[in-house]
């Protein structure tokens, strides 16, 4: 069951307890950021909120974000993640600097590869709002295991976000607590650097093919 919350003007947060999506309603169209799992029924939840045409933007191609795209037919996704989407859908490219306007929001695409190679954040500089997908979280775990992720790129992308941190007040990730304070960009970075250095001790995950590494603030699931 998808829980719907009007978080701020024209901005809804959809949450089924596993992953969140964001719906912005405008005058002539709505903008949906992420589509949840294939069985998440995000399309039905969106249709209960609006009958406007919906443009879909994906923060990245993991199944908990792109699984529901089949119900919308098409969406914007960074090309580096296109191979992750197996459904027959129409994908349109996303890249650095692209801007989506809707409902008084101006969301700018910031490429932040690492969690996946095609991960992007959406930044509204005026509202000081950052939607980082899975790449900034409070506590985590942040998934960094598997072939389609890069810890080196993740670290570089967190540095890039750190440079934007003074333009951010509210961060809403797709998992775990929200909103997240901007300090967590630096905290996630610091823990990722420790993970890379090998100073964090890993414990085998009971069911996933990875180890759990707990940094000072952030847990990572990693396999190297
Ligand atoms: Zn996710």
């Amino acid at each position: 069951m998808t829980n719907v919350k009007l978080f701020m003007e024209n901005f809804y947060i959809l949450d089924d307890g596993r992953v969140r999506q964001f719906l912005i309603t405008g005058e002539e169209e709505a903008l949906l950021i992420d589509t949840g799992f294939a069985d998440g029924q995000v399309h039905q939840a969106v249709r209960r909120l609006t009958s406007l045409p919906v443009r879909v933007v994906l923060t990245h191609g993991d199944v908990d974000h792109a699984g529901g795209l089949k119900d919308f037919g098409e969406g914007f996704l960074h090309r580096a993640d296109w191979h992750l989407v197996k459904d027959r859908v129409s994908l349109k490219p996303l890249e650095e600097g692209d801007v989506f306007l809707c409902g008084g929001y101006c969301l700018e695409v910031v490429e932040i590869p690492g969690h996946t190679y095609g991960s992007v954040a959406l930044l509204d500089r005026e509202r000081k709002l950052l939607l980082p997908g899975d790449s900034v979280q409070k506590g985590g775990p942040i998934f960094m295991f598997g072939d389609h992720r890069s810890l080196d790129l993740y670290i570089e992308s967190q540095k890039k976000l750190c440079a934007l941190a003074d333009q951010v007040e509210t961060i809403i990730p797709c998992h775990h607590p929200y909103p997240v304070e901007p300090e967590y960009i630096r905290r996630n970075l610091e823990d990722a650097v420790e993970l890379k250095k090998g100073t964090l001790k890993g414990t085998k995950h009971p069911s996933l093919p990875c180890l759990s590494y707990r940094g000072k603030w952030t847990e990572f699931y990693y396999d190297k």
Side-chain angles (χ1 to χ4, degrees):
M1 183 66 193
T2 301
N3 185 279
V4 176
K5 178 175 175 178
L6 181 63
F7 183 73
M8 42 194 177
E9 189 188 13
N10 298 334
F11 186 103
Y12 295 88
I13 297 179
L14 285 61
D15 194 336
D16 69 356
R18 300 177 294 177
V19 63
R20 280 187 283 273
Q21 304 81 41
F22 312 102
L23 180 74
I24 298 174
T25 50
E27 305 250 307
E28 285 161 15
E29 66 169 14
L31 187 66
L32 177 70
I33 294 115
D34 285 353
T35 60
F37 282 98
D39 66 356
Q41 304 191 339
V42 171
H43 188 265
Q44 289 94 318
V46 167
R47 279 298 164 231
R48 281 194 289 273
L49 291 167
T50 181
S51 56
L52 291 169
V54 178
R55 262 203 299 178
V56 177
V57 177
L58 299 172
T59 60
H60 60 292
D62 278 343
V63 290
D64 52 331
H65 301 258
L69 185 60
K70 59 181 176 20
D71 299 326
F72 295 89
E74 62 174 43
F76 290 86
L77 175 67
H78 194 284
R79 281 184 194 276
D81 275 5
W82 281 15
H83 69 287
L84 298 176
V85 177
K86 310 293 185 207
D87 294 315
R88 287 176 60 136
V89 289
S90 166
L91 295 174
K92 301 177 192 177
L94 264 189
E95 60 182 38
E96 181 84 13
D98 284 354
V99 169
F100 293 88
L101 299 171
C102 187
Y105 291 77
C106 174
L107 296 177
E108 184 183 328
V109 172
V110 181
E111 293 177 351
I112 49 165
H115 172 65
T116 65
Y117 284 86
S119 285
V120 303
L122 297 165
L123 173 65
D124 188 318
R125 294 177 194 260
E126 184 106 340
R127 293 177 185 263
K128 294 183 171 276
L129 169 69
L130 182 73
L131 305 175
D134 290 357
S135 299
V136 180
Q137 292 183 35
K138 188 170 187 166
I142 297 176
F143 283 34
M144 290 304 301
F145 67 95
D147 290 340
H148 65 298
R149 311 193 194 274
S150 161
L151 183 57
D152 289 332
L153 288 177
Y154 179 83
I155 288 170
E156 291 311 307
S157 293
Q158 292 300 115
K159 289 179 185 168
K160 181 179 179 181
L161 289 178
C162 276
L164 295 170
D166 61 341
Q167 300 184 51
V168 175
E169 278 171 5
T170 307
I171 301 176
I172 314 179
C174 295
H175 303 284
H176 309 116
Y178 77 92
V180 173
E181 302 86 334
E183 292 73 38
Y184 273 85
I185 301 172
R186 183 181 49 78
R187 289 171 178 175
N188 288 169
L189 168 62
E190 281 182 21
D191 285 342
V193 168
E194 293 302 316
L195 177 62
K196 179 69 190 177
K197 280 199 284 192
T199 53
L200 305 184
K201 194 173 139 14
T203 53
K204 181 141 182 26
H205 192 280
S207 56
L208 295 171
C210 63
L211 297 161
S212 157
Y213 293 86
R214 281 183 190 278
K216 196 167 168 191
W217 294 283
T218 315
E219 181 181 16
F220 290 96
Y221 287 172
Y222 189 53
D223 55 359
K224 309 230 168 32

